[in-house]
């Protein structure tokens, strides 16, 4: 090494203080971008009011939407989406008077028909962010809380899943 050559394997590059600050700045910007993108999923603008799919409903639930089951208490006791509150459709408008009209509200029933009717009523009452689970709980593929109820309002036994059974009597066969 006396001849001015460096030994192989001992190549140490020293960065200037300015280069270290640049690298640190780039790393901080990258971390800030990752945090911002993650937060956007929870705090970005809400979708337009209307019918929503299971995927969209799950996203709304993660964002803290009020979940309102408009079915009867017996149907609710048999099975409901976790975190849902049961407000039968004939009582929703009266009870909703105390709710924040700017808060997102996800409505559902068995098939989406009753909740669509309630959706129209709450829209007319001035609610800004309303969502109807378009196919209802019968098509829900998320978690379901099953209650201790063993009979439905009509005295029928629920399915083992806790979801209501639907039968089509108008067939062509």
């Amino acid at each position: 090494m006396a001849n001015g050559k460096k030994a192989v394997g001992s190549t140490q590059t020293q960065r200037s203080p300015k280069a270290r600050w640049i690298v640190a700045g780039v790393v901080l910007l990258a971390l800030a971008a990752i945090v911002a993108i993650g937060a956007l999923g929870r705090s970005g603008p809400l979708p337009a009011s209307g019918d929503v799919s299971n995927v969209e409903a799950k996203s709304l639930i993660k964002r803290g939407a009020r979940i309102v089951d408009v079915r009867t208490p017996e149907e609710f006791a048999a099975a409901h989406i976790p975190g849902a509150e049961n407000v039968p459709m004939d009582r929703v408008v009266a009870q909703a008077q105390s709710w924040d009209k700017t808060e997102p509200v996800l409505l559902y029933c068995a098939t989406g028909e009753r909740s669509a009717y309630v959706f129209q009523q709450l829209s007319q009452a001035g609610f800004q962010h309303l969502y109807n689970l378009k196919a209802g709980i019968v098509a829900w593929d998320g978690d379901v809380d099953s209650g201790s109820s063993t009979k439905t309002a009509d005295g029928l036994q629920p399915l083992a899943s806790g979801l209501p059974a639907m039968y089509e009597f108008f067939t062509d066969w």
Side-chain angles (χ1 to χ4, degrees):
M1 291 217 231
N3 61 8
K5 293 184 181 177
K6 291 184 181 179
V8 178
S10 65
T11 57
Q12 294 181 349
T13 58
Q14 293 187 356
R15 293 186 183 157
S16 70
K18 187 176 183 180
R20 287 184 189 157
W21 280 108
I22 291 172
V23 170
V26 169
V27 169
L28 286 175
L29 282 174
L31 286 173
I34 291 169
V35 169
I37 290 169
L40 244 172
R42 282 178 265 168
S43 63
L46 289 166
S49 292
D51 287 344
V52 294
S53 67
N54 286 342
V55 171
E56 294 164 319
K58 290 174 188 174
S59 174
L60 289 165
I61 291 169
K62 286 181 183 174
R63 292 179 66 168
R66 172 181 237 136
I67 312 165
V68 180
D69 184 325
V70 302
R71 300 175 301 153
T72 65
E74 293 83 9
E75 290 174 293
F76 181 80
H80 57 273
I81 295 173
E85 57 187 289
N86 182 222
V87 185
M89 68 179 288
D90 60 340
R91 296 186 216 146
V92 171
V93 174
Q95 191 163 339
Q97 291 177 1
S98 65
W99 299 348
D100 179 357
K101 292 184 179 183
T102 63
E103 174 186 31
V105 178
L106 173 64
L107 303 165
Y108 76 92
C109 62
T111 63
E113 295 298 319
R114 288 177 281 179
S115 53
Y117 176 75
V118 171
F119 176 95
Q120 292 300 321
Q121 291 180 313
L122 293 181
S123 289
Q124 292 172 357
F127 281 81
Q128 298 173 15
H129 303 288
L130 283 174
Y131 306 95
N132 176 42
L133 184 58
K134 65 181 166 189
I137 196 169
V138 296
W140 179 248
D141 63 357
D143 292 337
V144 175
D145 282 346
S146 297
S148 59
S149 177
T150 58
K151 295 195 180 270
T152 63
D154 297 328
L156 302 172
Q157 296 290 332
L159 299 173
S161 67
L163 296 173
M166 296 200 55
Y167 296 97
E168 174 66 57
F169 292 104
F170 302 102
T171 60
D172 292 339
W173 35 283

